Amino acid sequence: GQNIDQPTEMTATEGAIVQINCTYQTSGFNGLFWYQQHAGEAPTFLSYNVLDGLEEKGRFSSFLSRSKGYSYLLLKELQMKDSASYLCAVLPLNTGFQKLVFGTGTRLLVSP
Amino acid sequence: EAGVTQFPSHSVIEKGQTVTLRCDPISGHDNLYWYRRVMGKEIKFLLHFVKESKQDESGMPNNRFLAERTGGTYSTLKVQPAELEDSGVYFCASSQVTGATEAFFGQGTRLTVV
C-alpha cells in the first residue's frame, strides 16, 4: 500500500518563501504530483516529478528524492492568491498510470 | 476550450434516496476518472474509464455505486440507496491518453446525505 504524509496546515507572509514537504512509502513508484486546490474549486496541476532533482516553473519548484521517499514544493515570492490547499499525490507502479494516491493536503494561509 | 464540468455542484439528499452525478470530460479525452474526498480524509480513486470501458473500478466502495459512460463521452455516477457515509466531494478528472502525466479535474460535486 501507500502512505503519504504532509503537514496539515502552514502559514506564511506575503513575499516570503515556503516549503511544503511530502513523504511517501510505496511498494512501487511511477512519479509524484503536486496539485493546488482553492476552496470549492478543482485541483489544478502544478508539477510532476519522476526523476530525482528539482523542477522549476516560475515561482513554484518541486523536488524529488526517490531513495528517501521525499518531495517538497517550494513557493517563492508568496502572493495572497497562493492561499490554498496543496495536494501531494503519488502514482504507484503497476497501476497503469490510472490512479493517483493523494495525501490529505496542506492548507497554506498567506497573510499580508 | 471548456474544462471538465460536473453537475450538480451541490446535492443534499436524504438517506435511502438515489442521486446521480454527471461529469463531462474535456472533449477528446478518452480517459475519465472518478475520485472522492470524504470529510477530513484524502482524495481517493474510485474508478477509471477508457472510452466507454471500465478499466479499473477497484476503488468503488460497494455495489450501491454504479458508474456508466455510454458512448464514451460523459459519465454518470449513481448512488442508490445513499447512506450517510457517502457524503463528500466527488471529483471527476480526464486525460487525453492513458499514461498522461496530467489529468484535469472538475470542481467536484459536494454530496450531503442527511
Side-chain angles (χ1 to χ4, degrees), chain B residues 12-37:
Chain B
V12 180
I13 62 171
E14 291 184 353
K15 176 183 171 181
Q17 288 186 320
T18 298
V19 63
T20 300
L21 314 181
R22 173 171 169 143
C23 169
D24 286 77
I26 293 172
S27 177
H29 281 195
D30 286 343
N31 292 271
L32 187 149
Y33 312 82
W34 283 99
Y35 287 84
R36 175 174 77 166
R37 184 170 198 163

Side-chain angles (χ1 to χ4, degrees), chain A residues 10-38:
Chain A
M10 298 182 71
T11 58
T13 52
E14 207 173 4
I17 298 173
V18 71
Q19 177 174 312
I20 303 174
N21 296 325
C22 172
T23 58
Y24 62 90
Q25 295 172 327
T26 178
S27 54
F29 180 82
N30 251 336
L32 188 142
F33 292 76
W34 284 96
Y35 279 83
Q36 179 192 59
Q37 186 183 18
H38 287 97

